[in-house]
Amino acid sequence: MNIPENLSSIPMSELTEIIRYHNRLYWEKGTPEISDSDYDLLLEELRRRAPEHPLVTAIHTPTVVSGGKVRHRTPMLSLDKAYSLEAIMTWGKKFARTPDEILLIQPKYDGISANFDGHTLATRGDGETGEDVSEKLPLIELETIGYTGKLDRPARGEIVIREDDFKNLYSNIRRKDGGFYKNPRNAVAGIMGLKEIDLMIAQKAKLTLVDYSLISYSCPLDHLPEKWETFLDELSRLPYPMDGAVIKFADIRFRESLGNTAHHPRGEIAYKYSNVRRETLLLDVEWSFGKNNLTPVAIMEPVEFAGVTVKRASLHNVQNIIDMDLHIGDHITVERAGDVIPYIVASTPGTERRSPLINTCPACDAVLERKGPELVCTNAACPGTNLQRLSAAVKSLDVENLGESTLKKLITVCNIRHLSDLFKLKAADLLQIEGFAEKSAANLLTELQRVRTLPEYQFLAALNIPNVGPNIAKILLQTMDFNSLRQASFDTFNNIPGIGPERAKAITGAFAERKEEIDELLDALTLIREEKSTSANAVTVCFTGKMPEKRSYYVNLAESRGHIAVDSVTKDLALLVAADLNENSSKLAKARKLGIKIISLDEFLNSAKTPEPVNTTGEQLELFTVEETVKSSASDAPRHTAAEEEQPELF
Ligand SMILES: [Zn+2]
């Protein structure tokens, strides 16, 4: 069933029937027939006609298979919604104490809200009472400040499937009926609705509970308008399914002092992406290489979205083209939501059609193979895939002035296969390449010489082991040096907090299979062992008083900033953070006597850095802190093809 052409003219009874039908497909069966935005159009139409209709006001929680009802200790209220920056500013100005009141901006994850109290995992339900879904715990990994791993500590957040997990893991995971899941949101709903999860465990399915506090940007209210676009752009690079952003006042006590309306807290608001659609023509399909597969990109007749001319759209993977029966020459509907890269939501056949599918690799002519929904080149030495791997390694090593176009020439002219080959290059080799002269050749060789000495973690990250970027590499190397890591067993890795069996397997596998390559690299490079962060410049911090969040939250936050959290006030303490500066606690009294620096909780939260999210390529995102000017991290890689590698570990 498609959505009717002229929505406003269909009878009310039919409209509600259609919505109910799609609700059942989506939430109960996990087999949606229409896109999320089409569904939103239906709901929007109903909201226009009957704002109080139960289908409009219903909180969309999937039918989860539940172990019973759980009452939340603090209610999980839904948020008031804004669809524009203007609406956010109106809300902000209404409540803020000063024009530069600090806001926190967080992703609005698109999954299932849940609370884990340390024993029971419960969905949000109606906000007061949720469903006990603890039997799904074996599938769920927690991502919170300073920790990624087993869900073994209290957390409130959203159960989602990371986009990189969806791409890498779920291409091999089948539903009970044998089909593949269509998108991360649909897969979460489907899996949470299963009566038994043995099949999912056997297929190594993984869900993630993202703690709401994991990723926060901060920005003064009066600077929000100028930073808004960049902020949305940064958000869209995070590896989670999202449908907007949450904006709240940073000062927790102030925020809570504003209280709640009947439905919503006043101190925060949700910004929902509005979806803009354009009709155009599909002119061609280009196949772009990733480190492991080929991704189709639509080339279309240019269309304009809010002043931006767009010629390319993501097609995700080859299965998507087949499912849509998409041909070059078709009329297409393109949507741009919060995403930077628009995508195609619908198509109608054109008069002259040509299939965009290919059977042989555009880079090496080898036969292409289907791997789940992806297309892969069968040639292990494929220059297309090789270029992407080399390019990622070169970026990890911070080699300057060695872009993709030069790497491409190095591969074809100088026969470069592995990273280690780069370090064998001589001036004579480079001079064979068109565009290289004595000086530029010497410059590149000097640059390659410079990067030969590097920290161990950077080297480990440059190996392109799936899910091991710089942050994970740092965690691994905190426990032992690189050479010991090479000898370590699966169990050793698996036992390191935040690593997990999947990575443990990938790491041990890579060390075994790529022994020669790694040996060769180690001959060429000098690794520096970095001292642990508990070095002289780490600051000891102690907390006192009743804080809005659990103490562990602040301890983790402090540690994520490189501080050491301690329990008592001694003369060596650097900083005491007090929930209430006027309180008469013994810690405060002692700190005053010893002349130790005392700051308020707000100062602590707003000072220094907020937790640093990492983007999908493992690079640090620029943060919207009060002092910093905003830079946008330059990446033109389509978000769905840049599905890379790393958890936002916050160290
Ligand atoms: Zn190839």
Side-chain angles (χ1 to χ4, degrees), residues 397-441:
L397 292 186
D398 274 335
V399 185
E400 279 176 26
N401 299 322
L402 183 51
E404 262 191 42
S405 62
T406 309
L407 277 175
K408 216 179 206 166
K409 292 178 196 159
L410 286 170
I411 291 173
T412 44
V413 181
C414 304
N415 210 21
I416 298 292
R417 291 278 166 276
H418 298 292
L419 186 59
S420 56
D421 297 337
L422 278 181
F423 295 102
K424 294 177 199 153
L425 284 171
K426 305 245 175 339
D429 303 319
L430 293 176
L431 289 174
Q432 297 172 43
I433 298 174
E434 199 196 312
F436 264 97
E438 298 283 345
K439 185 144 185 279
S440 46

Side-chain angles (χ1 to χ4, degrees), residues 289 294 360-368 376-385:
F289 282 90
L294 284 115
T360 54
C361 175
C364 71
D365 278 336
V367 174
L368 295 173
V376 247
C377 177
T378 48
N379 175 7
C382 172
T385 353

Side-chain angles (χ1 to χ4, degrees), residues 580-600:
D580 180 357
L581 291 171
N582 302 316
E583 198 182 57
N584 274 324
S585 78
S586 59
K587 280 181 182 172
L588 265 168
K590 197 169 173 190
R592 282 193 195 106
K593 210 170 126 191
L594 292 168
I596 285 161
K597 187 178 178 189
I598 303 168
I599 62 168
S600 72

Side-chain angles (χ1 to χ4, degrees), residues 319-372:
Q319 186 62 50
N320 187 42
I321 293 185
I322 297 169
D323 288 349
M324 292 180 80
D325 185 33
L326 199 62
H327 283 66
I328 294 162
D330 285 355
H331 300 280
I332 50 176
T333 307
V334 186
E335 183 168 304
R336 188 175 194 238
D339 294 358
V340 176
I341 301 289
Y343 55 98
I344 295 174
V345 288
S347 69
T348 48
T351 39
E352 269 179 53
R353 308 180 80 207
R354 180 159 64 83
S355 169
L357 299 178
I358 50 172
N359 300 314
T360 54
C361 175
C364 71
D365 278 336
V367 174
L368 295 173
E369 198 175 72
R370 289 287 304 279
K371 204 176 158 196

